[in-house]
Amino acid sequence: MLTAIIHARSGPEALAVTLSSLVAGVAEGVIADAVVVADRHDDEIAHIAEATGAGFLLRDAGEDPWRMGARLARREWLLCLEAGDVPLEGWIGAVDRFAFAASRENYPIGRLRRRTHSLREWLGDVVARFSRNPRAGDVVHVSRLEKARGAKVAGIGAQVARQGLLTS
C-alpha cells in the first residue's frame, strides 16, 4: 500500500479532481492514505483534505513538498502528485506491481509517463525524465527522499495527465 502525497499549488477544484481519481486505488487496496501539502493557506483546500480524511500541511518556503508530506505518511511507498494530476487507465496494477517488485530490484523511484498536450510540456517532461530527484508522477520509497541523487529510476507502465482546470 502507498501514501498519496498531493502538492496543492492551485485551487480546490484541481485537488478535488486528483483525490477523486484515487478512489479506485483506495478501493483496490493500493492507496492507504493521502497527505495534502499546500503552498498557501486556503480554507477550501483545508476543508477538502479534512473531508476526505487526508492529512494537511502548509509548505514552508523552500521545503520540498514530498519530504514534507512524508512526515505524515503512514506507508513507506509514496505516490507523488500535483493537484490536478489524474492517473490514467491501468495505473493501479502498474503502481502496485512496481512497489511490490522494486524492493527486490533496488529501484527506489518509479516514474509514470506524463501525457502532455503541448510541445512545451513534452520538452519539459523529456528533460525531467533525466532527473533523479522525485517529482510529480513518481512512486518513491520514503528512504530515497533524502538521498535521491543517483537513485535508479524505473519506468512504470502507466500514465498520468494534468487536467486543464488549474487555477492559481
Side-chain angles (χ1 to χ4, degrees):
M1 294 186 92
L2 294 92
T3 294
I5 298 179
I6 304 162
H7 184 199
R9 293 192 291 181
S10 49
E13 298 86 4
L15 176 61
V17 164
T18 299
L19 284 168
S20 65
S21 74
L22 298 176
V23 170
V26 172
E28 291 290 325
V30 174
I31 302 294
D33 61 311
V35 177
V36 175
V37 180
D39 280 355
R40 66 188 189 297
H41 181 73
D42 182 311
D43 288 335
E44 289 182 79
I45 288 175
H47 177 73
I48 290 169
E50 181 182 340
T52 59
F56 179 74
L57 295 168
L58 286 176
R59 185 168 79 110
D60 298 328
E63 181 80 30
D64 179 76
W66 318 127
R67 283 189 193 107
M68 196 164 184
R71 294 177 192 150
L72 292 183
R74 293 188 220 150
R75 300 292 187 250
E76 60 184 21
W77 285 99
L78 311 172
L79 173 60
C80 303
L81 299 169
E82 292 280 349
D85 282 353
V86 175
L88 301 178
E89 185 176 351
W91 75 271
I92 295 170
V95 166
D96 193 35
R97 282 188 303 277
F98 169 79
F100 178 76
S103 298
R104 289 190 222 137
E105 301 296 322
N106 197 26
Y107 278 99
I109 300 174
R111 189 153 284 167
L112 293 164
R113 291 186 320 268
R114 182 156 299 278
R115 179 177 284 175
T116 58
H117 299 288
S118 71
L119 179 59
R120 183 178 178 190
E121 289 175 334
W122 180 81
L123 285 172
D125 189 51
V126 168
V127 170
R129 283 185 211 162
F130 294 104
S131 170
R132 299 288 187 230
N133 294 323
R135 65 180 185 126
D138 285 356
V139 176
V140 182
H141 193 274
V142 71
S143 69
R144 293 311 289 190
L145 290 175
E146 295 302 322
K147 48 187 175 180
R149 274 209 145 75
K152 291 182 187 179
V153 177
I156 297 177
Q159 290 183 323
V160 63
R162 183 145 309 138
Q163 296 302 304
L165 54 86
L166 300 180
T167 58
S168 293

